[in-house]
Amino acid sequence: MPLPSYTLGVMEASAYAPEVFARGLPSGPRPEQSFEDVAKSAGAVAGDASALLSLQGISLSFGGVVALADIDLSVRQGEIRAIIGPNGAGKSSLINVISGVYRPDRGHVQLDGTSYAQVPTQRLAHLGVARTFQNLALFKGLSVLDNVASGLAYKVRSNFAGQVLGIGRSRGEQRDSRSRAEQILEFLHLTAIRDRLVGTLPYGLQKRVELARALVAEPRLLLLDEPMAGMTASEKSEMASFVRAARDRFATTVVLIEHDVGVVMGLSDRIAVLDYGRKIADATPDEVRNDQRVIDAYLGVASDNEDGAGI
Amino acid sequence: MTAITSDFVAAPVLPKWVVPVLLLAFAYGVVPLIGSSYVFEAILLPFLALSLAGVGLNILTGYAGQVSLGSAAFMAAGAFAAYNFNLRVEGLPLIGSIFLAGIVAAAIGIVFGLPSLRLKGFYLAVSTLAAQFFVQWALTKFSWFSNNSASGVIDAPRLSISGLALDGAVGRYLFALTIVTVLTFLAYRLVSSQTGRNFIAIRDNETAARIIGIPVLRTKLLAFAISSFIIGVAGVIWAFAYLRTVEPDGFDLDRSFQILFIIIIGGLASIRGAFFGAALILVFPLALSRLGGFLLGDLFDSGVLDMSQRIVLGALIILFLILEPDGLVALWDRVRRRLLFAWQST
Ligand SMILES: Nc1ncnc2c1ncn2[C@@H]1O[C@H](COP(=O)(O)OP(=O)(O)OP(=O)(O)O)[C@@H](O)[C@H]1O
Ligand SMILES: [Mg+2]
């Protein structure tokens, strides 16, 4: 990679970093301006250093099944990046690799400048990465509020004895995590059900609670595996607006898997298309919509799928 | 907090400390006056010890989701450790011996909890059997543990706290009641703390727990340690207050199963459940023998009693697992809600 652009990338990153690293609740939406600046400079080079997340030559197979084949991907700070593709294309596998649940056979995941052969799952939250799961992964025995507050577990420094006796920093931590969880519940319109056991909620709401649990840590990178699966059209558009609002409010970079092409086209800045573990396209929604390979592999006749029907 | 309270939020009439406080007032103020020594010796003392063991196992199995069949081993470890601390450490107060015994049980719990870092469910349960067999073997094999007594059965030291002798039935009852009360209260605080929520998170979804940054390995071992501490102290109560002898025999696999049944019947992931379950498991054989004697007369000898106990208990467990997997606690809460509802709508 050319040296000048690289330097530029680093400069951009460090100019941006202080805001990104500040994990307190931002007071308002981020100025769009800075995203575009970063975006422009990043656009100049592929796989540049200003990318928050980049994958290099990721391959993964299960027995004979190739889930991912030599995938490169670069996600810029602040962007909403969709990953689409037919069933079994390797989308979830990709997110599992990014979050360290799977170790790729080859390739590296670069997070914020550090390269990993396998991302350390246990430290994921500390690295500012949060995720949701295709199949709900909530804690059924906990209330909505406790599920969401558990998203801050990585910050807890008090030990069990302090918590039992209510001494030391445990009280402050408890108060802090509750109030932050409550803010997120408010943000996602979940306050009314905060004391319900999550297991008793309808599917769509559980999906939203899972988003809340991921968001409460104010992650710099948010990985969403089909957050709108199984939702009605109005629930989907509500969820899409939450994802957008989360990006704007927390300056979170979003990687999103979604089958509903209509939603994806409206929501994302860029779309990567997977097919049989290969990346067959990586472009803006408009370009993807008109890409012949994508149409053949996934979209069918493009005009039929404007609204994402049948996928 | 919600983990155990949310299932009974629907009864908003009383603040939730009222019932425990009333029960304690009764246990301290009334029971010592009206109880016969049979009630203390045969019912209340084993009830307290087994309830506490149930509370301990529930932290590990009910909350943290790690199945264990080694409870009796941790009880034995606690009992023998307390005996030896008391015997060998000059001037150590009884409470000190009991606390250190809990620490020893916790340490053994951590060692036998190590397989949980790799194993789950059935396989983990089988590996905790190792604790069961190893501890019993070690206690029988090395007579140092029983102070080289010929029979292996040793008298427990007399209970006393700062000079106040507690070796009558009532004294031992109050002694046990106090320890059980304190530890149960702390256990309740624990399960409603961040650590308790981490236990539940690991039980409900280990991958998600790891991803949100819960230190999974450390938390599992902590669950083993705390659980074994409580079970170890329960073992001390069993040996010192109830049996008044210390011997490995009573801490066999049957006992481990008994404690597991207590929490299954009473209710997993419920502190109250351990008390419900222990009450049922203790009262039930007594009731059965009365009933059997009444219906069948002399035919109902101890052999028949023993067999029918096992059969009925087994059936009961299966029934609970199928019909009321949340245990007596859930049943009780439902009945109470119904009654409350009926009462309110009249
Ligand atoms: N843990 C696993 N063990 C074995 N095979 C797996 C595993 N995870 C994924 N695969 C296989 O890898 C391929 C890609 O699966 P993946 O779940 O990534 O697809 P996907 O694009 O998310 O599909 P969907 O849209 O159905 O969620 C599939 O053939 C799948 O069967
Ligand atoms: Mg998938």
Side-chain angles (χ1 to χ4, degrees), chain A residues 87-118:
Chain A
N87 290 113
K91 307 179 295 297
S92 297
S93 300
L94 195 66
I95 284 208
N96 283 335
V97 165
I98 299 172
S99 56
V101 176
Y102 292 166
R103 180 195 172 92
D105 302 334
R106 270 190 308 284
H108 290 271
V109 178
Q110 195 169 328
L111 265 175
D112 194 36
T114 313
S115 185
Y116 301 96
Q118 178 175 18

Side-chain angles (χ1 to χ4, degrees), chain A residues 106-180:
Chain A
R106 270 190 308 284
H108 290 271
V109 178
Q110 195 169 328
L111 265 175
D112 194 36
T114 313
S115 185
Y116 301 96
Q118 178 175 18
V119 178
T121 312
Q122 192 83 68
R123 294 196 46 239
L124 203 64
H126 293 276
L127 296 172
V129 182
R131 67 165 290 179
T132 66
F133 293 79
Q134 179 166 357
N135 304 309
L136 290 166
L138 288 167
F139 308 128
K140 287 197 195 70
L142 292 175
S143 70
V144 170
L145 182 69
D146 286 342
N147 264 280
V148 176
S150 72
L152 292 166
Y154 74 100
K155 283 187 154 186
V156 171
R157 312 242 331 268
S158 60
N159 61 20
F160 80 95
Q163 292 163 16
V164 166
L165 303 174
I167 53 174
R169 50 162 78 94
S170 69
R171 283 163 162 255
E173 276 179 0
Q174 167 92 0
R175 214 177 312 121
D176 186 50
S177 69
R178 273 186 83 94
S179 78
R180 286 183 56 175

Side-chain angles (χ1 to χ4, degrees), chain A residues 143-145 185 189-198 201-202 205-206 208-209:
Chain A
S143 70
V144 170
L145 182 69
L185 290 180
H189 302 177
L190 290 167
T191 307
I193 53 160
R194 45 172 268 174
D195 293 323
R196 293 268 299 273
L197 280 185
V198 284
L201 298 174
L205 278 180
Q206 294 197 32
R208 213 194 293 175
V209 174

Side-chain angles (χ1 to χ4, degrees), chain B residues 63-107:
Chain B
Y63 286 92
Q66 312 297 307
V67 186
S68 162
L69 288 176
S71 308
F74 303 127
M75 287 180 84
F80 276 87
Y83 171 76
N84 281 292
F85 279 121
N86 193 66
L87 179 75
R88 298 171 200 278
V89 184
E90 201 69 37
L92 185 67
L94 186 60
I95 286 297
S97 303
I98 295 178
F99 179 79
L100 290 176
I103 299 289
V104 167

